[in-house]
Amino acid sequence: MEQTMEGSEAPSQTTMRIQNGMIRTDISEELSTIADTKAGEVMTIIHPAKMVSVISQPKGEAAPKLPNVPTPKYTATGMTEKVDGYECNIVKMEMGEMTSTFWVAKSYPDYDKIKAEMATIKPASGAPETPKELEGLILKTSTVGPKYLGIVTIKSVKIEEIPADVFKAPTGYTVSRQ
């Protein structure tokens, strides 16, 4: 999945690969992250320094407690708009001081396959169900908050087998665990 991000910072393009509970995000030529949602580990890869930092999430009683956050309120606006040629329903979400707008494509090609792969990265317990208003592929998100403004737009999605080494620390990099 390739997407662009615009907002408070300079615009950027990221590539995200998801397979079997693993997520690799190439944020720039200098920085990548790999999350193993099953093992609860996140690798941060700093390419110019050839360094990898691995952080393991505590489990069980040692796991951090989630802060008490407001419950999001979703509203289907009844409006539609095309994003990259796909008809999208526009959905608003309010949560505390933050407001997001989602452009949701209900009939994106291979959406069932994309949805099945996305399901592999959700935590096993405690993950809220996807609200019915967001059923479909979210092609664009605009978020506004007191200290944040951002727009994320998906540019392309490919369904393909990803080599396992894409989700490993690159050969020759120094790995440290925290």
Side-chain angles (χ1 to χ4, degrees):
M1 178 182 315
E2 292 185 0
Q3 58 189 21
T4 58
M5 297 194 292
E6 306 169 59
S8 306
E9 304 293 324
S12 64
Q13 182 164 327
T14 62
T15 300
M16 184 181 300
R17 297 179 184 122
I18 300 170
Q19 186 167 281
N20 299 324
M22 303 286 288
I23 310 164
R24 179 183 175 124
T25 306
D26 294 310
I27 299 161
S28 66
E29 289 183 16
E30 292 83 25
L31 184 66
S32 300
T33 62
I34 299 173
D36 182 339
T37 62
K38 294 175 184 170
E41 286 190 340
V42 177
M43 277 189 253
T44 301
I45 305 168
I46 304 168
H47 297 288
K50 293 193 173 196
M51 293 177 54
V52 178
S53 174
V54 181
I55 299 173
S56 294
Q57 298 296 317
K59 296 179 176 99
E61 293 294 320
K65 303 296 181 230
L66 294 175
N68 196 10
V69 296
T71 302
K73 179 184 176 219
Y74 295 92
T75 306
T77 66
M79 297 187 310
T80 62
E81 186 177 308
K82 286 197 176 191
V83 174
D84 201 25
Y86 297 97
E87 191 72 27
C88 296
N89 294 334
I90 300 175
V91 177
K92 297 271 185 188
M93 181 205 66
E94 294 178 9
M95 189 171 78
E97 296 180 353
M98 184 180 71
T99 302
S100 293
T101 304
F102 303 99
W103 285 258
V104 184
K106 300 277 187 188
S107 58
Y108 195 86
D110 292 322
Y111 174 67
D112 288 337
K113 291 178 184 176
I114 296 166
K115 181 179 178 180
E117 199 58 58
M118 296 293 278
T120 70
I121 62 172
K122 286 189 176 179
S125 63
E129 291 294 316
T130 300
K132 67 181 182 321
E133 295 89 351
L134 295 182
E135 274 298 324
L137 186 62
I138 300 171
L139 292 181
K140 184 176 175 181
T141 304
S142 172
T143 301
V144 178
K147 296 181 180 179
Y148 181 79
L149 166 64
I151 299 171
V152 176
T153 307
I154 291 178
K155 295 298 183 188
S156 68
V157 178
K158 295 179 195 170
I159 306 288
E160 61 189 10
E161 190 65 28
I162 303 168
D165 64 341
V166 166
F167 299 103
K168 295 180 181 172
T171 304
Y173 283 45
T174 303
V175 178
S176 66
R177 295 191 167 272
Q178 299 179 11

